[in-house]
């Protein structure tokens, strides 16, 4: 048997339903009530073209041409692989594993673990005609992002990522298909890459995938780990390490009248302008109570990121989709106690800190990127804000932007 053998697992998708939306409103996240039943689409897992099965001294192995690696299979793994190559269904595989004295529940677990590992190692390809009726579209960085899910539940876990849905009929710039398999989620982008994750990690994983695609497709010099906001035409960058409180302070500033451009990644053009990626605001557990006090309708869906952190996504109504020029760059330094302090930074210190938080597609800051950074620090006032309480930090930032600090 080899990777050219056509094989497949066929899974039935659920009732089809389309999700559309536009600006934030009471009906923004409402699904169409009537579902349209269709013939269930099929999902087929195939051995990758460059995946080769072989026996060496009676031992079963797989060779990955893509990774130039060889993997040994135990008896269960070899049975699952060979069954796939013979077009066996999942049910047939589960029953067949009973010959090894394995119960159906454990057989399901073993088979799904093997399939997951092979997907991670690009040993399997995925072909599916997942229904387009469970779908949503949104605009990020002037690109149309569409997600097609195999069922309504998957889409409900993803709609929270976006501040504004798009119901236009334009072509997709990035299209993603999502389906459940054995208690996990498999998704494939239009770049033909296949990924999998736990269901509770679906939203963060999809967000990370889309962010990387946008960074790679954007004609930017580099990107920054920073929140971006604007007020009265002036642009504000909030920079800081994870846990510095960028999202919480962003929430405070939105409540004070700032407009939102993004709370995670800012794309920097060669001219030094800033374009945020306006995903919904990401709030960690410590900020959930704050949001519920500031907003009438708080976020309810909880996701778990790959680092184990629990987060919730909440859409922001007042978006700024235009490129910004930075008037202020603030580096956050969160401490456990003490008064808030604002310290001015010279251009060299600001440049060094921005370089530390910058990342580029090829991993290097180019000359164009350096020139863009120079434009930013030359045109903006840079500060380090040391603080403990987000409310006090908000007061200082407001004083600064209003010319009182």
């Amino acid at each position: 048997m080899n990777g050219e053998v056509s094989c497949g697992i066929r899974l039935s998708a659920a009732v089809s339903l389309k999700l559309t939306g536009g600006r934030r409103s009471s009906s923004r996240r409402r699904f169409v009530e009537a579902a349209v039943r269709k013939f269930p689409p099929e999902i087929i897992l195939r051995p990758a073209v460059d995946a080769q099965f072989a026996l060496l001294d009676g031992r079963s192995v797989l060779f990955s041409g893509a990774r130039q690696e060889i993997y040994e299979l135990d008896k269960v793994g070899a049975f699952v692989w060979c069954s796939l190559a013979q077009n066996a269904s999942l049910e047939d595989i589960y029953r067949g594993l009973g010959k090894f004295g394995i119960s159906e529940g454990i057989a399901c677990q073993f088979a799904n673990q093997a399939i997951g590992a092979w997907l991670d190692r690009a040993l399997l390809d995925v072909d599916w005609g997942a229904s387009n009726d469970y779908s949503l579209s949104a605009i990020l960085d002037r690109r149309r992002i569409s997600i097609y899910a195999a069922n309504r539940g998957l889409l409900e876990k993803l709609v929270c990522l976006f501040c504004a849905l798009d119901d236009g009929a334009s072509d997709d710039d990035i299209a993603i298909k999502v389906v459940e398999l054995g208690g996990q989620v498999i998704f494939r982008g239009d770049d033909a890459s296949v990924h999998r994750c736990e269901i509770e990690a679906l939203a963060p994983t999809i967000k990370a995938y889309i962010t990387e695609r946008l960074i790679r497709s954007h004609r930017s010099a580099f990107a920054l780990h920073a929140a971006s906001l604007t007020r009265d035409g002036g642009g504000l960058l909030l920079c800081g390490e994870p846990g510095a409180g960028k999202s919480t302070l962003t929430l405070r500033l939105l409540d004070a009248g700032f407009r939102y451009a993004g709370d995670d990644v800012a794309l920097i053009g060669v001219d030094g302008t800033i374009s945020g990626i306006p995903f919904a605001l990401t709030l960690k557990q410590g900020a959930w109570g704050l949001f519920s006090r500031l907003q009438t309708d708080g976020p309810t869906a909880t996701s778990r990121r790959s680092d184990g952190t629990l987060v919730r996504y909440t859409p922001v109504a007042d978006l700024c989709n235009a490129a910004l020029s930075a008037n202020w760059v603030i580096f956050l330094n969160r401490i456990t106690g003490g008064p808030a302090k604002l310290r001015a930074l010279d251009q060299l210190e600001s440049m060094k800190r921005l370089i530390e938080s910058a990342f580029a597609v090829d991993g290097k800051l180019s000359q164009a990127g350096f020139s863009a950074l120079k434009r930013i620090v030359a045109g903006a006032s840079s500060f380090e804000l040391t603080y403990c309480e987000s409310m006090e930090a908000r007061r200082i930032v407001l004083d600064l932007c209003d010319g009182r600090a």
Side-chain angles (χ1 to χ4, degrees):
M1 304 175 193
N2 57 54
E4 296 181 354
V5 176
S6 175
C7 68
I9 298 175
R10 294 175 171 81
L11 305 176
S12 294
V15 178
S16 298
L17 189 65
K18 184 167 182 69
L19 171 64
T20 59
R23 297 182 178 276
R24 187 176 182 128
S25 66
S26 61
S27 61
R28 178 183 179 279
R29 308 221 179 274
R30 190 174 302 158
F31 281 95
V32 178
E33 293 299 329
V36 180
R37 291 189 174 273
K38 286 188 172 185
F39 184 80
E42 292 182 336
I43 299 167
I44 303 174
L45 299 178
R46 302 179 182 275
V49 173
D50 59 358
Q52 182 79 26
F53 177 86
L55 291 173
L56 301 177
D57 292 330
R59 298 161 72 177
S60 301
V61 298
L62 290 177
F63 172 69
S64 170
R67 295 196 173 198
Q68 292 292 292
E69 293 177 346
I70 192 168
Y71 308 97
E72 183 175 1
L73 302 179
D74 59 17
K75 290 183 178 180
V76 172
F79 175 82
V80 174
W81 181 271
C82 293
S83 297
L84 290 179
Q86 295 173 356
N87 294 321
S89 68
L90 275 177
E91 291 76 12
D92 291 337
I93 293 175
Y94 299 156
R95 285 193 295 267
L97 287 174
K99 299 176 182 178
F100 296 91
I102 301 173
S103 67
E104 185 170 345
I106 299 300
C108 176
Q109 179 181 347
F110 282 176
N112 291 333
Q113 286 177 347
I115 290 169
W118 295 335
L119 285 168
D120 291 344
R121 291 167 174 80
L123 291 163
L124 291 177
D125 288 334
V126 182
D127 293 329
W128 69 77
S131 171
N132 291 351
D133 292 320
Y134 282 109
S135 64
L136 66 82
S137 296
I139 303 297
L140 291 174
D141 188 37
R142 296 175 292 280
R143 286 166 172 78
R144 191 170 194 260
I145 316 296
S146 292
I147 299 176
Y148 303 97
N151 60 61
R152 172 176 173 167
L154 289 175
L155 213 59
E156 287 178 330
K157 294 180 181 299
L158 294 170
V159 69
C160 61
L161 283 175
F162 304 100
C163 291
L165 301 181
D166 177 64
D167 57 1
S170 58
D171 294 336
D172 297 333
D173 294 301
I174 297 175
I176 303 169
K177 292 185 177 181
V178 186
V179 69
E180 288 187 61
L181 175 65
Q184 292 191 323
V185 178
I186 298 174
F187 69 90
R188 184 183 66 183
D190 51 15
D191 59 353
S193 61
V194 178
H195 310 264
R196 71 183 181 102
C197 65
E198 301 294 331
I199 291 179
E200 62 181 1
L202 178 58
T205 305
I206 290 287
K207 178 184 176 182
Y209 171 78
I210 294 174
T211 299
E212 182 178 356
R213 287 288 306 277
L214 290 175
I215 291 172
R216 290 185 177 277
S217 63
H218 193 275
R219 294 181 179 178
S220 60
F222 62 94
L224 287 174
H225 288 294
S228 45
L229 303 98
T230 181
R231 186 168 184 258
D232 298 331
L236 168 65
L237 277 179
L238 294 178
C239 306
E241 298 293 327
K246 294 189 295 294
S247 295
T248 303
L249 182 54
T250 295
L251 178 59
R252 290 284 194 190
L253 294 174
L254 293 176
D255 186 56
F258 279 75
R259 296 183 67 199
Y260 178 76
D263 77 329
D264 191 23
V265 173
L267 303 174
I268 309 301
V270 293
D271 58 354
T273 56
I274 301 159
S275 297
I277 302 179
F279 280 106
L281 188 65
T282 305
L283 298 178
K284 298 177 184 176
Q285 198 165 2
W288 296 350
L290 171 62
F291 181 85
S292 64
R293 292 194 297 272
L294 295 179
Q295 304 288 334
T296 55
D297 297 322
T300 55
T302 302
S303 300
R304 186 182 300 274
R305 298 193 315 204
S306 59
D307 61 2
T309 303
L310 296 177
V311 295
R312 290 177 177 174
Y313 300 98
T314 179
V316 176
D318 192 9
L319 296 179
C320 175
N321 291 308
L324 306 172
S325 294
N327 291 55
W328 308 276
V329 178
I330 300 179
F331 300 91
L332 300 180
N333 177 32
R334 193 174 184 180
I335 58 177
T336 57
K341 299 177 182 179
L342 189 68
R343 180 171 68 90
L345 302 177
D346 61 28
Q347 291 186 12
L348 178 58
E349 179 65 20
S350 180
M351 177 77 80
K352 289 180 178 178
R353 294 191 181 204
L354 286 173
I355 289 176
E356 290 177 355
S357 64
F359 54 100
V361 171
D362 60 1
K364 297 179 181 180
L365 182 64
S366 65
Q367 291 184 354
F370 181 83
S371 297
L373 274 180
K374 182 181 176 181
R375 291 188 180 94
I376 291 176
V377 299
S381 299
S382 299
F383 301 88
E384 178 187 68
L385 174 57
T386 300
Y387 75 102
C388 175
E389 298 295 335
S390 60
M391 192 63 183
E392 190 174 6
R394 168 184 130 147
R395 176 185 59 78
I396 290 179
V397 173
L398 287 174
D399 286 347
L400 173 67
C401 295
D402 290 338
R404 296 192 300 268

